[in-house]
Amino acid sequence: MSIGVDLKEAIATVGVTIRIVESSSPSEYIRFKPNKQVTKPFIREYFLETMMSYDTAIVSGDIIEVGVTGHRYIMMNKTPDLFENEVMRYGGVAYKTNVNGSLQRPEYSRGANLQKMETFVTIPGAKTVDALMVEALYGHSLDTDETLGELGLEKHELYIPHKFGAKVKDRFYIDEDHYYRVITVKTHRYDDVDVLEIDVDTRPNAYPIDTTLAFVVGGPVN
């Protein structure tokens, strides 16, 4: 493992200190470098290639924070670089986060007039969620070779760790002026990172609903 140890020392020399958010693992070093598509400002700013040591504690879906800047990133993947049947380092891609909110789920109950009412409750562990929100492109993703600005824009996409278990009809709440309804959940595009298609949520915090449209977490309302 001498190569892995040597590379770890090199990463510590040229890299930056990071910590894994919501983890007891100690800080470690990681090397960032700009995405090869350097002519696209958005991709250069938000999509970074990474190099990690052979014994890194980082896994796909982790949120990492850079010590010197305070910027946070989602680790989108983690690929081993092998030599003589051993991992000598890991490579990956990290997406810079630009929003922090809570993931909420609708629950239903009966009001005083026996009408079913919809309210939103924060999913356990998802009160403060770091994510990347971007404008979705018709038939394209922002990590393709298409030129930004030349494609029509539609709803938004939210890149979020899979561990929060986002579902259709959930709400991503940033503040009183910015909250969004989850309309699609893509779980197989990346390891441990979900891509949510979202739009502006026009549902109020509580209102009567048609019983035929009721969706209840854990079972039907009696």
Side-chain angles (χ1 to χ4, degrees), residues 42-101:
F42 181 90
I43 292 179
R44 182 183 179 89
E45 173 72 15
Y46 283 92
F47 297 178
L48 297 178
E49 297 180 12
T50 66
M51 182 184 297
M52 298 163 281
S53 63
Y54 72 95
D55 59 351
T56 179
I58 300 171
V59 298
S60 298
D62 275 346
I63 301 294
I64 60 174
E65 182 179 270
V66 179
V68 67
T69 64
H71 294 158
R72 292 186 174 187
Y73 297 83
I74 307 175
M75 185 56 61
M76 301 300 295
N77 56 45
K78 177 183 173 184
T79 306
D81 192 351
L82 303 175
F83 181 75
E84 294 185 348
N85 290 321
E86 292 185 338
V87 176
M88 59 180 184
R89 63 185 176 188
Y90 286 93
V93 174
Y95 285 6
K96 184 179 178 181
T97 66
N98 58 7
V99 293
N100 182 277

Side-chain angles (χ1 to χ4, degrees), residues 105-152:
R105 184 154 295 160
E107 290 189 352
Y108 300 95
S109 60
R110 292 189 183 276
N113 57 1
L114 299 183
Q115 288 182 300
K116 289 183 179 178
M117 305 290 294
E118 179 183 57
T119 57
F120 289 88
V121 296
T122 300
I123 296 173
K127 184 177 181 180
T128 56
V129 178
D130 293 289
L132 169 62
M133 186 169 73
V134 299
E135 293 176 314
L137 303 174
Y138 284 111
H140 299 270
S141 297
L142 287 178
D143 52 1
T144 68
D145 291 330
E146 298 296 336
T147 301
L148 298 178
E150 294 183 358
L151 301 173

Side-chain angles (χ1 to χ4, degrees), residues 1-220:
M1 187 54 68
S2 61
I3 294 179
V5 173
D6 291 343
L7 288 174
K8 180 177 181 178
E9 293 177 353
I11 293 172
T13 300
V14 301
V16 295
T17 304
I18 65 93
R19 71 178 183 91
I20 305 173
V21 178
E22 298 183 354
S23 171
S24 59
S25 298
S27 298
E28 60 179 89
Y29 289 93
I30 187 173
R31 183 187 177 191
F32 287 107
K33 58 180 179 178
N35 190 281
K36 296 177 181 179
Q37 300 182 55
V38 294
T39 60
K40 302 174 184 178
F42 181 90
I43 292 179
R44 182 183 179 89
E45 173 72 15
Y46 283 92
F47 297 178
L48 297 178
E49 297 180 12
T50 66
M51 182 184 297
M52 298 163 281
S53 63
Y54 72 95
D55 59 351
T56 179
I58 300 171
V59 298
S60 298
D62 275 346
I63 301 294
I64 60 174
E65 182 179 270
V66 179
V68 67
T69 64
H71 294 158
R72 292 186 174 187
Y73 297 83
I74 307 175
M75 185 56 61
M76 301 300 295
N77 56 45
K78 177 183 173 184
T79 306
D81 192 351
L82 303 175
F83 181 75
E84 294 185 348
N85 290 321
E86 292 185 338
V87 176
M88 59 180 184
R89 63 185 176 188
Y90 286 93
V93 174
Y95 285 6
K96 184 179 178 181
T97 66
N98 58 7
V99 293
N100 182 277
S102 61
L103 191 63
Q104 302 175 348
R105 184 154 295 160
E107 290 189 352
Y108 300 95
S109 60
R110 292 189 183 276
N113 57 1
L114 299 183
Q115 288 182 300
K116 289 183 179 178
M117 305 290 294
E118 179 183 57
T119 57
F120 289 88
V121 296
T122 300
I123 296 173
K127 184 177 181 180
T128 56
V129 178
D130 293 289
L132 169 62
M133 186 169 73
V134 299
E135 293 176 314
L137 303 174
Y138 284 111
H140 299 270
S141 297
L142 287 178
D143 52 1
T144 68
D145 291 330
E146 298 296 336
T147 301
L148 298 178
E150 294 183 358
L151 301 173
L153 296 175
E154 54 177 6
K155 302 174 179 68
H156 291 75
E157 285 184 341
L158 191 73
Y159 293 75
I160 186 173
H162 175 72
K163 67 180 181 180
F164 296 115
K167 296 182 179 180
V168 173
K169 296 185 180 181
D170 283 352
R171 167 181 284 179
F172 188 71
Y173 182 93
I174 300 175
D175 55 42
E176 292 183 358
D177 297 319
H178 301 88
Y179 44 94
Y180 301 87
R181 175 181 61 121
V182 177
I183 54 180
T184 303
V185 180
K186 301 174 183 178
T187 60
H188 300 296
R189 185 181 295 181
Y190 304 100
D191 290 338
D192 296 313
V193 177
D194 293 340
V195 182
L196 313 183
E197 187 174 296
I198 59 177
D199 60 7
V200 175
D201 197 342
T202 58
R203 296 171 295 179
N205 286 329
Y207 66 101
I209 60 170
D210 188 322
T211 56
T212 62
L213 300 179
F215 171 83
V216 182
V217 178

